[in-house]
Amino acid sequence: EESIKKRLVLGIRYQTETGEKQEEKIEPHALIYKQNVWYLYAFCHASRSFESYRLGGIFSIELTQAVFRKRPFSREHISLFQEKHFDKIAVRLAFSPEAYLDAQNWLGVENLKKKNGVWYADLLLPDNESLPKKILSFGAGVKILEPIALKEKIVAMVKTLAADYEETK
């Protein structure tokens, strides 16, 4: 935050998603929180372009005294916010009152409707590998009402997980 406010170049050492260790000089422009992960959006001197760095992957930061000039950018330019092209699936979910705040953070208040003490969401979501994982993160606080295929996928994942833990007894 200090380097963003004062426009100071950072020297960072970080680990990429493939496990490589890298060193870069960057100009930090914004902190971003997305799906429970913090990112630093910065202009990278090496690539001469904006990059997103997972804060959890940065293991060393050097605050330099070099000052940079802020570069224009908008939310639409940040790759973290660009829609990936996944097929969409129509989903109907029911959330318990205890899971409401997490559901609101994930889906937005405009997509949740309350009926008889239960929060419902009817919307199109990306049909990818992260959807079942996200749903599982709600534990017993969510029920999949539709589609049946998604419900069956979750049941299969839970059975596999339970079997893995049964082996350790």
Side-chain angles (χ1 to χ4, degrees):
E1 285 179 288
E2 179 184 345
S3 63
I4 292 170
K5 286 177 193 170
K6 294 181 179 178
R7 297 185 331 267
L8 296 174
V9 173
L10 292 177
I12 64 168
R13 293 179 62 218
Y14 68 100
Q15 191 164 354
T16 67
E17 291 178 5
T18 61
E20 279 183 73
K21 292 189 176 177
Q22 302 255 345
E23 289 187 38
E24 304 287 351
K25 293 279 189 219
I26 62 170
E27 301 170 3
H29 280 64
L31 286 169
I32 300 165
Y33 187 69
K34 183 169 183 198
Q35 296 182 335
N36 297 324
V37 179
W38 280 101
Y39 296 89
L40 178 60
Y41 187 66
F43 185 82
C44 173
H45 288 192
S47 69
R48 306 294 305 152
S49 64
F50 277 100
E51 306 284 342
S52 299
Y53 300 89
R54 278 179 310 103
L55 288 188
I58 298 173
F59 56 87
S60 161
I61 298 176
E62 174 196 347
L63 186 62
T64 73
Q65 295 307 307
V67 177
F68 66 88
R69 185 175 301 177
K70 244 185 166 157
R71 299 168 191 268
F73 72 94
S74 66
R75 180 182 170 103
E76 293 77 36
H77 293 114
I78 301 173
S79 62
L80 294 169
F81 294 114
Q82 292 175 356
E83 278 289 318
K84 293 193 172 80
H85 299 286
F86 291 109
D87 290 335
K88 301 281 184 169
I89 184 172
V91 177
R92 182 155 215 255
L93 304 170
F95 294 94
S96 69
E98 297 79 22
Y100 172 72
L101 285 178
D102 289 330
Q104 181 184 29
N105 289 336
W106 176 37
L107 302 171
V109 68
E110 70 278 8
N111 291 309
L112 295 165
K113 306 291 182 250
K114 191 174 186 180
K115 184 177 177 185
N116 299 326
V118 177
W119 290 95
Y120 293 92
D122 292 286
L123 64 168
L124 292 173
L125 294 173
D127 189 14
N128 60 26
E129 71 281 344
S130 67
L131 180 59
K133 293 175 187 174
K134 182 65 179 177
I135 291 170
L136 281 171
S137 75
F138 284 86
V142 65
K143 287 189 179 168
I144 301 165
L145 304 175
E146 293 177 21
I148 299 299
L150 180 59
K151 187 185 247 186
E152 289 169 346
K153 185 182 276 188
I154 297 282
V155 167
M157 290 173 77
V158 170
K159 284 181 179 178
T160 300
L161 183 62
D164 288 347
Y165 281 93
E166 292 279 325
E167 290 176 5
T168 60
K169 284 187 176 179

